[in-house]
Amino acid sequence: MGQSTDRIPVAVLGSTGSVGQKFIQLLSNHPYFKVTEVAASERSAGKTYAEAVNWILPEPIPEDVAKLHVKECVPNKNCKVAFSGLDASVAGDVEEDFAKAGYIVVSNSKNHRQDTYVPLMIPEVNPDHIQLMEFQNYGEGKIVTNPNCSVIGMVIALKPIFDAFGLEAINVVTMQAISGAGFPGVASLTILDNVVPYIGGEEDKMELEPLKLLGSFTPQGIKFPDIPISAQCNRVGVLDGHTETVQIKLSKKASKQDIIDCWRAFKSEPQKLQLPSAPIQPIHYFDNPAYPQPRLHRNIENSMAVSVGRLRECKLFDYKFVVLSHNTVRGAAGGAILCAELLKAKNMLD
Ligand code: NAP
């Protein structure tokens, strides 16, 4: 990537966690942003990043970040943007403190996702929801949030269908990767040779967040569409990549080919603006009936594309299909960076 000489300084809050490490990796050599501050809990504060972090990615820690000193999550940082990969137990207050102090916070945590004037954003799905930020009362500072990691893959696949044919009902069953539980995550004795049919709070998010994402902007907040969603969420022994089987009922009739065509043609604002992290083709549809699979397809287009397959008629709904997306990249750090790239393109980081 070509780099401008005056990259925007950014902090990563929760920089030592599973999502925080992905931020550090993806922001290394980013053309718009440069990590100048890393923050985490008081357990990590005071150490260099290399000392504090239990680095779990195959690439080495970027040299310039390895020697930064980890600070506590207080809003006295030398930067404009704060990417947050904070544990939800602290994210709510910390992110609000940063916004009140004038920072633009791009969060992965659940805490502010349903605030009336906080966009819950997937840049390909609802870039117009950025307008909500004008109504926030943090002054110069703002908060924008990335949705839940399972929601992101499903809603990217649903968006072109929703626009073309409407949606009447959705049923989804997820098979979610271990890395979605953070680090050190699920104990090996719990997940090896096993499926855990419960992820606390996940089904509520799957049933609510798509409605805000597919909703329409009004100055009073987002108007949610009336679509019943039923979700069942499972943890499976896959390292990265959430796989979901989805059933949908449409408002208007569509053939199987109509749906595949609208998936393959789907492009949105990030593609038009050629944002650095945007996949060229957000949705890859596979004709092979054994695809998509997490080990084979989670890294397509730098892990920012969503893979879809097995579209077929459903005896209970109209259609059913499988969707796969990378939970810590498209579903977390990569998605949040794409949101910040969109803010920059809209001159909201000036
Ligand atoms: P994680 O691995 O447990 O990391 C949590 C981070 O929060 C660590 O950097 C930790 O710092 C910091 N932290 C914990 N307690 C703190 C405190 N009291 N004060 C300041 N910092 C504190 O979690 P994760 O999986 O990266 O998830 C981070 C957030 O992203 C969560 O809200 C999660 O729900 C969300 N999310 C995760 C995924 C995913 O696939 N993993 C996807 C989407 C969204 P120390 O190392 O110093 O303890």
Side-chain angles (χ1 to χ4, degrees):
M1 290 185 210
Q3 287 183 17
S4 72
T5 45
D6 47 357
R7 291 192 286 160
I8 298 169
V10 303
V12 178
L13 313 178
S15 56
T16 49
S18 171
V19 172
Q21 293 185 30
K22 266 287 166 205
F23 270 125
I24 299 298
Q25 183 210 344
L26 295 173
L27 289 168
S28 156
N29 299 318
H30 191 281
Y32 300 171
F33 306 120
K34 179 172 174 52
V35 176
T36 54
E37 301 271 6
V38 282
S41 76
E42 58 187 19
R43 296 179 288 278
S44 305
K47 299 175 185 166
T48 64
Y49 185 72
E51 286 164 351
V53 71
N54 186 345
W55 187 255
I56 53 170
L57 300 177
E59 304 80 5
I61 306 174
E63 270 177 35
D64 51 341
V65 175
K67 52 188 185 228
L68 290 178
H69 279 87
V70 179
K71 297 184 181 161
E72 290 195 44
C73 292
V74 286
N76 58 359
K77 307 288 178 279
N78 173 27
C79 64
K80 171 83 185 166
V81 177
F83 288 107
S84 169
L86 281 171
D87 190 87
S89 61
V90 290
D93 289 345
V94 170
E95 291 170 359
E96 209 166 308
D97 289 347
F98 272 75
K100 282 180 184 156
Y103 297 86
I104 308 293
V105 178
V106 187
S107 168
N108 278 290
S109 300
K110 65 180 181 185
N111 311 62
H112 293 289
R113 286 181 190 155
Q114 294 298 339
D115 291 4
T116 305
Y117 292 120
V118 170
L120 176 66
M121 205 161 70
I122 303 175
E124 280 92 344
V125 170
N126 57 341
D128 58 312
H129 290 196
I130 265 187
Q131 300 168 81
L132 288 175
M133 292 165 80
E134 290 165 26
F135 299 86
Q136 291 180 15
N137 57 8
Y138 296 122
E140 293 281 295
K142 308 280 175 218
I143 300 179
V144 56
T145 56
N146 209 22
N148 167 274
C149 44
S150 290
V151 169
I152 292 181
M154 180 177 80
V155 173
I156 290 176
L158 292 177
K159 171 68 176 169
I161 301 174
F162 177 70
D163 286 348
F165 312 110
L167 287 165
E168 297 286 303
I170 302 164
N171 183 50
V172 56
V173 176
T174 69
M175 289 152 272
Q176 300 185 209
I178 309 167
S179 60
F183 187 82
V186 191
S188 54
L189 283 180
T190 301
I191 199 65
L192 288 175
D193 188 30
N194 211 6
V195 168
V196 181
Y198 175 69
I199 304 174
E202 200 78 354
E203 291 167 357
D204 292 341
K205 293 177 207 160
M206 283 297 281
E207 293 178 358
L208 182 62
E209 292 183 15
L211 302 177
K212 186 167 182 183
L213 288 157
L214 295 173
S216 34
F217 168 82
T218 80
Q220 290 73 44
I222 300 301
K223 187 169 182 304
F224 289 21
D226 183 16
I227 309 171
I229 304 176
S230 173
Q232 298 185 75
C233 297
N234 305 285
R235 187 76 68 198
V236 299
V238 165
L239 281 180
D240 290 315
H242 292 348
T243 307
E244 305 168 30
T245 55
V246 186
Q247 293 165 278
I248 50 171
K249 208 177 251 306
L250 304 178
S251 312
K252 281 192 249 166
K253 274 206 172 310
S255 70
K256 184 177 158 187
Q257 196 57 47
D258 288 338
I259 295 176
I260 293 173
D261 289 347
C262 76
W263 274 331
R264 287 190 168 142
F266 181 61
K267 302 227 183 214
S268 184
E269 195 79 354
Q271 287 69 39
K272 279 183 214 137
L273 293 167
Q274 298 188 318
L275 299 178
S277 302
I280 291 167
Q281 196 181 324
I283 301 170
H284 289 240
Y285 183 79
F286 290 93
D287 294 312
N288 183 330
Y291 289 174
Q293 298 176 15
R295 223 174 50 207
L296 302 184
H297 304 117
R298 61 190 166 207
N299 293 327
I300 291 179
E301 297 216 41
N302 299 320
S303 311
M304 287 297 284
V306 167
S307 298
V308 182
R310 300 213 67 213
L311 179 71
R312 59 222 191 273
E313 286 185 8
C314 172
K315 291 199 171 90
L316 296 176
F317 289 61
D318 290 320
Y319 286 101
K320 51 189 171 183
F321 60 90
V322 182
V323 60
L324 163 79
S325 63
H326 196 299
N327 52 297
T328 60
V329 183
R330 181 78 231 202
I337 293 169
L338 188 61
C339 287
E341 291 170 2
L342 182 66
L343 296 184
K344 178 174 184 300
K346 301 283 179 193
N347 302 318
M348 293 181 72
L349 301 183
D350 296 343

